[in-house]
Amino acid sequence: MRNELEPKFENVIIIDDNPVELYFSSRVILHNNFGKKVIEFLLANEALAYLEENQENSSQLPQIIFIDLYMPHFSGFEFLEAYDKLPLIVKNKIKVFIVSNTINNLDIARVCKDPNVVSLLQKPITKEFLDRILA
C-alpha cells in the first residue's frame, strides 16, 4: 500500500514566464505531495531542450508537465508543436496539462484537439486543481 505522504509523481515540470506563478505553483505541488521534485522553466524552449537531452534517461523525465499558453519567444503552442516530434517512448511517459487563463474559444479548441494534451486547466495551481488531476 502506498504511503499517503509519498509524492504521487517523481518529477513535475512547470513552464511559465511568470516567476511568481512558478514559485507559488512549485510550493503547492511540493506541499501537497503531488511531486517529489519540481523542475521550473521560464522559457518553453529550455524545457524542450531538457526533454530532448534527457530522453534516454527516463529517471530525469517528468511524469507531468504544466505549461502556460501565452509566453514570449516560444509559446505553449510552439512547445506543443515541437513536443509532438519527440519519440513516442518519451511522450508515453509524460502527461501534459495546459494551465492558462485563456477565454479564447479558438485557443481552447486548438488545445483540446491536441493528442498530447490531457486537459486544459484554469490558473492558479491549487490543492483542488491537483486533486482533480488525481481523481
Side-chain angles (χ1 to χ4, degrees):
M1 189 165 123
R2 187 178 178 103
N3 183 342
E4 286 301 313
L5 297 178
E6 287 181 36
K8 312 302 184 271
F9 301 101
E10 196 67 29
N11 297 318
V12 176
I13 284 181
I14 305 174
I15 309 164
D16 196 313
D17 63 316
N18 181 335
V20 174
E21 192 82 38
L22 273 178
Y23 175 81
F24 284 111
S25 296
S26 292
R27 298 306 155 260
V28 169
I29 288 167
L30 293 170
H31 179 75
N32 290 287
N33 294 313
F34 186 83
K36 184 174 184 180
K37 178 180 176 186
V38 177
I39 306 162
E40 302 174 0
F41 292 97
L42 288 166
L43 301 172
N45 58 335
E46 290 179 0
L48 185 64
Y50 176 88
L51 295 174
E52 290 169 342
E53 291 166 13
N54 289 288
Q55 60 186 327
E56 301 293 325
N57 187 357
S58 63
S59 68
Q60 295 301 309
L61 289 174
Q63 293 78 44
I64 302 287
I65 294 176
F66 294 122
I67 182 168
D68 188 15
L69 280 181
Y70 305 116
M71 296 179 285
H73 311 297
F74 200 81
S75 73
F77 290 116
E78 291 169 303
F79 174 87
L80 290 172
E81 288 173 18
Y83 177 86
D84 192 51
K85 297 176 181 142
L86 290 174
L88 196 55
I89 193 161
V90 172
K91 294 188 296 185
N92 284 341
K93 296 177 187 275
I94 302 171
K95 293 182 178 169
V96 178
F97 293 87
I98 303 299
V99 183
S100 180
N101 287 325
T102 187
I103 56 171
N104 183 315
N105 288 333
L106 293 175
D107 288 347
I108 292 169
R110 184 174 171 192
V111 166
C112 291
K113 288 180 191 171
D114 191 309
N116 296 307
V117 175
V118 174
S119 183
L120 170 83
L121 301 164
Q122 293 295 311
K123 285 184 177 183
I125 293 177
T126 62
K127 179 183 183 329
E128 294 75 25
F129 175 107
L130 299 175
D131 288 345
R132 277 193 305 248
I133 292 171
L134 295 173

